[in-house]
Amino acid sequence: MTFAEKLRAELATVTVKPNCCRRALAEGLLLGAEIDGQRQIHVRYTQEAVAELAVEILSRQYGKAPEVTQWGKCGHRYWDLSLSAPSCLKYLRSLDAEDACVDSVFHFQCDACRSVFLRGVFLAVGTVSDPHKSFHLEFKLPHARMRLLSAFLTEMSYPARTVTRNGQAGIYYKDSSSIEELVTVMGSGTGIFEIMNSRIEREIRNNENRATNCVARNIEKTIAAATRHIEAINKLMEAGKLESLPEALQETARQRYANPDASLDELVAIHVPSISKSGLNHRLQKIMEAADEI
Ligand SMILES: [Zn+2]
C-alpha cells in the first residue's frame, strides 16, 4: 500500500454522526463526479475503502444506493459508482454554475462540517506523496471546479498553488507545515505522525549534513594553508635562505615541514618551545613573506 492509500484507508474509517456533517462528506466525495446525457451521475474511486464509504454515505444522503462497477486488475483497480437522484444532480449543477461560490454551493452547518467536507474531497480526488521521499499533497479535479475548491481552501487559511494539465486542475501544497495541518484537519490520527516523523528525521539529517560539510570545509582550509606553508619553506631551502632567518622562524619552519598534515591547533600543541596560536600564525606569515621576497 502506498502512503496515500494508507491515509485514505484510515480516513475512510473515521465515523461521522451529525446529519449536517454526513451531507458535507457526501458533497466532498462527489467533487470529481460527472453527469452524462441521461442525467445519470458517475463518480470513480481508486480505492475500495473509499468506494464502500461513498456507497454508504450517498445511499443515506440521496435515499438510493449507487450502482457499483469494479474495473481493472491489481495495481490499477477502480470503482465506478452511478446514481440518479434529483437532489444530487442539483448539487452537481450548482458546482459548475458560473456564479458558484462556497456559500451558495456547500452546506456547512456546524464547526466540524468543513473538516469532514475536506476529508471527503481528499478521499475522492486527493493524493499525497510518501513523506519519506517528498512533501506533496494534491487535489485533482475538473478544471471548472478548481476556483471553488481554491476559494474554500483559502477561506480555511490554506491558500494553495494551482496547475492545469490536460483540462484537469491540480491544487497542491509542497510545504510540510500546510500538509501536516491539512491532514490533521481531515481527521488523521496515525498518518499525521508518519508525516511529522519524516519531517523531523529530515531536519535532523539536514543538520548533520550541515555539520559534516562544515568539518569538510575546515579540513580543506587546513590542507590549503599547510600546502602554502610547505611551498614557502621549500622555496627558502632551495634558495639557501632558510638558514638566514631568525632562529625562532627556522624552528617553526622545521616543525611545520615535519608535520605537514597538522592543523594550526595541533602544531601549537606539539611546538617546542611552546607558543601561542597567534604567535605561530605570525611566524608562519613571516616565513611566507620571506619566501615571497625571493
Ligand atoms: Zn456538521
Coordinates of all heavy atoms in Angstrom, one line a residue, residues 18-22 109-113, ligand 1:
P18 N -23.2 13.5 13.0 CA -24.3 14.5 12.7 C -24.7 14.5 11.2 O -23.9 14.3 10.3 CB -23.6 15.9 13.0 CG -22.4 15.5 13.8 CD -22.0 14.1 13.4
N19 N -26.0 14.7 11.0 CA -26.5 14.7 9.6 C -25.9 15.8 8.8 O -25.6 15.5 7.6 CB -28.0 15.0 9.6 CG -28.8 13.7 10.0 OD1 -28.3 12.6 9.8 ND2 -29.9 13.9 10.7
C20 N -25.6 17.0 9.4 CA -25.0 18.1 8.6 C -23.6 17.7 8.1 O -23.3 17.9 6.9 CB -24.9 19.4 9.4 SG -24.0 19.2 10.9
C21 N -22.9 16.9 8.9 CA -21.5 16.5 8.5 C -21.6 15.4 7.5 O -20.7 15.3 6.6 CB -20.8 16.0 9.7 SG -20.4 17.4 10.9
R22 N -22.6 14.5 7.6 CA -22.7 13.5 6.6 C -23.0 14.1 5.2 O -22.5 13.7 4.2 CB -23.9 12.6 7.0 CG -23.6 11.6 8.1 CD -24.2 10.2 7.8 NE -24.0 9.4 8.9 CZ -25.0 9.2 9.8 NH1 -26.2 9.8 9.7 NH2 -24.8 8.4 10.9
Q109 N -23.0 23.5 8.3 CA -23.8 24.0 9.4 C -23.1 24.0 10.8 O -23.3 24.9 11.5 CB -25.1 23.2 9.5 CG -26.1 23.6 8.4 CD -27.3 22.7 8.3 OE1 -27.7 22.1 9.3 NE2 -27.8 22.6 7.1
C110 N -22.3 23.0 11.0 CA -21.6 23.0 12.3 C -20.1 23.2 12.1 O -19.6 23.3 11.0 CB -21.9 21.7 13.1 SG -20.9 20.3 12.6
D111 N -19.4 23.3 13.3 CA -18.0 23.6 13.2 C -17.2 22.5 12.5 O -16.2 22.8 11.9 CB -17.4 23.8 14.6 CG -17.9 25.1 15.2 OD1 -18.3 26.0 14.5 OD2 -17.8 25.2 16.5
A112 N -17.7 21.3 12.6 CA -17.0 20.2 12.0 C -17.2 19.9 10.5 O -16.5 19.2 9.8 CB -17.3 18.9 12.8
C113 N -18.3 20.5 10.0 CA -18.7 20.3 8.6 C -17.5 20.5 7.6 O -17.3 19.7 6.7 CB -19.9 21.2 8.2 SG -21.5 20.5 8.7
Ligands
ZN1 ZN -21.7 19.3 10.7

